[in-house]
Amino acid sequence: MDLTELLVLLQELCGNLISRYGAWGVAAAMLAESAGVPFVSSVVLFTAGGMILSGRASFWTLFFASTAGIILGSAISYLIGYMVGSVGRVVGHYLNRSSGASSSAHFRALSRVYDFMERYGIYSIFVGQLWGVTRTFISFPAGAMKMNPLFFILY
């Protein structure tokens, strides 16, 4: 199965989920998308729009369902990033110390990325939430950099 077939399958699954479970399906699909499952959330929203137009669901019901799904999925990804980030920092610090003064360029590059995220992180997370591809995956680095959870959810 190639990538195109997989994406078509995911879109069909998403459409069936929403058609069958209504607002709960919208919430589940948006949760999966926010937690890092690679499919286009616009498909979910187009299907939800069809439900509104046909009278099968109200705008506000689907609005709150999609918002709840996005927040919960992002929180799951954030927590995974938080836990992995803690372990990664400890392992990275140990490897960096064990390699001595002549640490590799890889560790220096990671240090620069970490410094950038520390300096501009909160704004990069906010801007990352505005675009589809980065919105799906931005929660993980937000957790890894230990962004304030309240600000993260607010953004």
Side-chain angles (χ1 to χ4, degrees), residues 57-126:
S58 75
F59 169 80
W60 291 109
T61 300
L62 295 179
F63 174 81
F64 288 119
S66 65
T67 302
I70 288 171
I71 290 172
L72 188 57
S74 294
I76 290 168
S77 183
Y78 175 92
L79 288 173
I80 292 169
Y82 189 91
M83 291 184 293
V84 169
S86 298
V87 172
R89 277 196 197 98
V90 170
V91 171
H93 180 71
Y94 172 75
L95 290 174
N96 196 18
R97 286 188 58 202
S98 68
S99 64
S102 62
S103 64
S104 69
H106 177 70
F107 287 114
R108 286 191 298 274
L110 286 176
S111 177
R112 286 194 309 260
V113 169
Y114 182 74
D115 291 343
F116 177 83
M117 291 299 288
E118 283 291 315
R119 189 174 197 185
Y120 301 108
I122 207 165
Y123 303 108
S124 62
I125 299 300
F126 176 73

Side-chain angles (χ1 to χ4, degrees):
M1 176 180 287
D2 68 346
L3 182 60
T4 306
E5 292 172 345
L6 178 63
L7 291 176
V8 168
L9 180 65
L10 283 172
Q11 289 177 347
E12 288 175 2
L13 175 69
C14 176
N16 292 336
L17 182 71
I18 293 169
S19 296
R20 186 172 194 171
Y21 297 108
W24 289 106
V26 169
M30 296 306 282
L31 181 145
E33 190 266 340
S34 294
V37 176
F39 68 88
V40 183
S41 61
S42 60
V43 173
V44 176
L45 298 178
F46 284 136
T47 307
M51 291 175 63
I52 293 168
L53 288 175
S54 69
R56 292 189 296 156
S58 75
F59 169 80
W60 291 109
T61 300
L62 295 179
F63 174 81
F64 288 119
S66 65
T67 302
I70 288 171
I71 290 172
L72 188 57
S74 294
I76 290 168
S77 183
Y78 175 92
L79 288 173
I80 292 169
Y82 189 91
M83 291 184 293
V84 169
S86 298
V87 172
R89 277 196 197 98
V90 170
V91 171
H93 180 71
Y94 172 75
L95 290 174
N96 196 18
R97 286 188 58 202
S98 68
S99 64
S102 62
S103 64
S104 69
H106 177 70
F107 287 114
R108 286 191 298 274
L110 286 176
S111 177
R112 286 194 309 260
V113 169
Y114 182 74
D115 291 343
F116 177 83
M117 291 299 288
E118 283 291 315
R119 189 174 197 185
Y120 301 108
I122 207 165
Y123 303 108
S124 62
I125 299 300
F126 176 73
V127 171
Q129 291 284 0
L130 301 176
W131 286 278
V133 173
T134 57
R135 181 181 61 243
T136 300
F137 301 107
I138 199 70
S139 306
F140 186 82
M145 64 184 261
K146 308 231 184 285
M147 182 179 178
N148 182 323
L150 182 61
F151 283 132
F152 172 72
I153 295 299
L154 181 64
Y155 286 174

